[in-house]
Amino acid sequence: MSDVMPTIDAEAFPLYVVSGTHLMVMVPVVRDAVAGLDEAYTEASLDLTTGIQSTGTSIDAQWKVTPDRRHVLLQLYGREPKPFELAVRFEMKTERVRQGFLTMAAFGDAGRVSLWIYPDKEDTARAAAAIQKKDVELFVCLGIGVEEEMQCRTLYRLARPPRPAA
């Protein structure tokens, strides 16, 4: 892969739903953001909507906080069906946004955080409504389950002051 990861600005703050000790984080990531992502969405939907056995979808993810604490990056590493790399950049415009990410970090310490991506804001909102109505089939069909147990400890960096410039 390249030295510079393609980066897009986030369409919206991640939606999340709490189910007991499980926090489900849902992020809109447009299908055509990077080559290979559209194929991942297609493969993920094949198994559930058509009954056709797909080749599978495998995407790894991690959070990264920039040294100046002004952005959080969700780094996605597609493995199957086609390799890709993509970072989704969230700007820390307000205290509420920063606190939302700190809530995810704290929840990750006490329970489980899973990450799901959806092709747009509307599908993300539909997925959040579906899981609240316990319509798991619709929730799963709309997007891709990326990580079952997302590591969120790096988000605690938002609670510390930025590093001084070198």
Side-chain angles (χ1 to χ4, degrees), residues 75-131:
Q75 296 177 317
L76 302 170
Y77 301 91
R79 305 288 178 233
E80 296 291 335
K82 289 187 176 178
F84 69 85
E85 291 183 355
L86 177 67
V88 180
R89 181 177 36 232
F90 297 90
E91 189 174 354
M92 300 295 104
K93 291 180 182 178
T94 66
E95 178 60 24
R96 184 174 178 222
V97 169
R98 190 181 70 77
Q99 192 57 49
F101 281 107
L102 289 172
T103 297
M104 282 184 223
F107 204 97
D109 287 346
R112 181 168 63 101
V113 176
S114 63
L115 175 69
W116 297 77
I117 62 172
Y118 296 89
D120 55 41
K121 290 187 297 188
E122 291 77 20
D123 281 342
T124 305
R126 287 177 53 209
I131 202 65

Side-chain angles (χ1 to χ4, degrees), residues 22-70:
H22 182 187
L23 180 71
M24 290 170 269
V25 178
M26 295 158 275
V27 178
V29 181
V30 295
R31 294 181 82 99
D32 61 356
V34 67
L37 183 56
D38 184 55
E39 289 86 347
Y41 277 119
T42 301
E43 288 296 321
S45 69
L46 280 178
D47 284 336
L48 298 164
T49 59
T50 65
I52 297 171
Q53 180 64 39
S54 76
T55 58
T57 300
S58 176
I59 302 172
D60 296 325
Q62 68 181 18
W63 295 109
K64 181 179 179 182
V65 176
T66 59
D68 63 7
R69 311 294 191 257
R70 293 177 49 201

Side-chain angles (χ1 to χ4, degrees), residues 2-34:
S2 68
D3 291 341
V4 178
M5 181 178 280
T7 302
I8 61 170
D9 289 319
E11 285 187 64
F13 183 79
L15 290 178
Y16 52 86
V17 174
V18 175
S19 177
T21 61
H22 182 187
L23 180 71
M24 290 170 269
V25 178
M26 295 158 275
V27 178
V29 181
V30 295
R31 294 181 82 99
D32 61 356
V34 67

Side-chain angles (χ1 to χ4, degrees), residues 121-139:
K121 290 187 297 188
E122 291 77 20
D123 281 342
T124 305
R126 287 177 53 209
I131 202 65
Q132 290 172 334
K133 293 177 182 176
K134 301 196 185 321
D135 186 348
V136 176
E137 186 174 331
L138 178 59
F139 174 80

